[in-house]
Amino acid sequence: MSTTTKDGYLRKPEWLKIKLNTNENYTGLKKMMREKNLHTVCEEAKCPNIHECWGIRRTATFMILGDVCTRACRFCAIKTGLPTELDLAEPERVADSVQLMNLKHAVITAVARDDLKDGGAAVFAETVSAIKRKNPFTTIEVLPSDMGGIYDNIKTLMDARPDILNHNIETVERLTPRVRARAKYHRSLELLKRSKELQPDIPTKSSLMIGLGETKEEIIQTMDDLRAHDVDIMTIGQYLQPTKKHLPVIKYYTPLEFGELRKIAMGKGFKHCEAGPLVRSSYHADEQVNAASRARQAQGEKTEQAK
């Protein structure tokens, strides 16, 4: 049971303590990011797994389109305001960094750019193409905003054929207006559905953070909504309040509760589900895309056998 601090906040439980790892991988990767003038969501969003991913797994999630978001979601630590002009050389720099890091799997996300007509879709597509050209054996996951829900923007991105399309639902429908600035629950579901319709062979993925006051029934309903829109992969993680200006944590879920939610999700038909207190959308992303590919291949073999 979580206890409260003197100022009324829930005290973090033992299972959320993080082991820091600032080895050569971590420091080298941080140095390269600064030299290449690149941003990562690992740093900007204060991800709790940065030391594991950078220090042990040597993976990172690149954040393109600048480091200033046009939205002010009440759960997110990324700074908001008026973004700078587009950096048209950014896609090549990201591709060069993927090559230097010798990544097997690259995750590309971005700040929301509501100031751009295409929501940043063209730069996303160019980044995917640049990585493919310079790193033909690297799988690529893209994690865009809803890009205004505009069909042409989604098509531009999917025409670049990333290996996986990830768009986060973030929270349950009831809490969406309070948690996500400008975003709409059903618009996110529609983006996931349209992405699959445009490229049926590309897995889709979404993430849910819990601890904001949702009920178990609402979590399960969100699972059902994602499956109804043909989403293949789901991640579920604990919401952590980045600063006192952000939404407070209402509940810390136990590892046992996360294990139960993962079991429920897999029973709903997701090809892969990662669930745990420190799980984030990009956590072990390489394993997720491989698991989804294996599940897709196994389903294809069953279909062939049934003919």
Side-chain angles (χ1 to χ4, degrees), residues 14-139:
E14 286 295 315
W15 59 81
L16 280 172
K17 288 188 176 178
I18 302 162
K19 184 179 180 181
L20 301 183
N21 191 328
T22 52
N23 62 16
E24 288 183 7
N25 280 349
Y26 176 88
T27 55
L29 187 51
K30 188 165 188 172
K31 182 173 181 285
M32 188 192 73
M33 291 295 178
R34 298 295 78 77
E35 288 174 348
K36 292 285 185 180
N37 192 28
L38 293 171
H39 305 286
T40 67
V41 75
C42 319
E43 296 172 287
E44 302 294 339
K46 304 182 188 301
C47 179
N49 303 309
I50 187 169
H51 291 87
E52 178 188 351
C53 295
W54 285 27
I56 300 172
R57 299 179 70 90
R58 196 165 173 80
T59 61
T61 299
F62 297 92
M63 189 173 77
I64 60 173
L65 299 169
D67 64 347
V68 180
C69 186
T70 54
R71 300 183 184 182
C73 296
R74 296 190 66 203
F75 67 90
C76 184
I78 293 173
K79 59 188 173 187
T80 63
L82 186 64
T84 57
E85 292 182 4
L86 287 179
D87 179 356
L88 299 181
E90 189 174 44
E92 295 296 329
R93 290 205 312 280
V94 171
D96 288 341
S97 297
V98 169
Q99 190 174 46
L100 282 171
M101 292 166 64
N102 193 26
L103 295 184
K104 292 181 179 178
H105 184 73
V107 182
I108 311 300
T109 190
V111 292
R113 291 295 301 261
D114 297 311
D115 58 315
L116 301 174
K117 186 177 180 181
D118 73 345
V123 176
F124 253 113
E126 288 168 16
T127 304
V128 172
S129 297
I131 294 172
K132 283 186 173 184
R133 187 174 66 254
K134 295 182 176 181
N135 309 273
F137 300 109
T138 300
T139 52

Side-chain angles (χ1 to χ4, degrees), residues 169 172-173 185 208 218-226:
I169 200 77
V172 300
E173 183 175 7
Y185 184 83
L208 180 69
E218 287 176 318
I219 295 172
I220 293 172
Q221 181 60 57
T222 304
M223 293 179 185
D224 288 337
D225 291 342
L226 291 171

Side-chain angles (χ1 to χ4, degrees), residues 177-245:
R178 181 167 174 250
V179 174
R180 301 174 69 199
R182 299 192 193 178
K184 299 183 187 305
Y185 184 83
H186 288 281
R187 186 161 70 190
S188 287
L189 291 173
E190 188 66 20
L191 180 144
L192 289 159
K193 179 183 177 183
R194 286 183 169 184
S195 299
K196 182 57 72 70
E197 289 171 348
L198 285 163
Q199 302 287 356
D201 61 321
I202 294 179
T204 51
K205 169 182 167 184
S206 195
S207 182
L208 180 69
M209 57 183 173
I210 56 177
L212 286 159
E214 66 291 316
T215 65
K216 184 177 180 180
E217 290 73 24
E218 287 176 318
I219 295 172
I220 293 172
Q221 181 60 57
T222 304
M223 293 179 185
D224 288 337
D225 291 342
L226 291 171
R227 285 301 300 135
H229 289 75
D230 206 16
V231 174
D232 301 292
I233 303 167
M234 184 179 191
T235 61
I236 309 170
Q238 172 70 52
Y239 167 67
L240 298 175
Q241 184 180 11
T243 73
K244 290 184 178 180
K245 294 180 180 179

Side-chain angles (χ1 to χ4, degrees), residues 290-302:
N290 291 337
S293 297
R294 288 194 296 271
R296 206 165 64 242
Q297 185 178 19
Q299 185 59 45
E301 289 171 356
K302 285 181 182 179

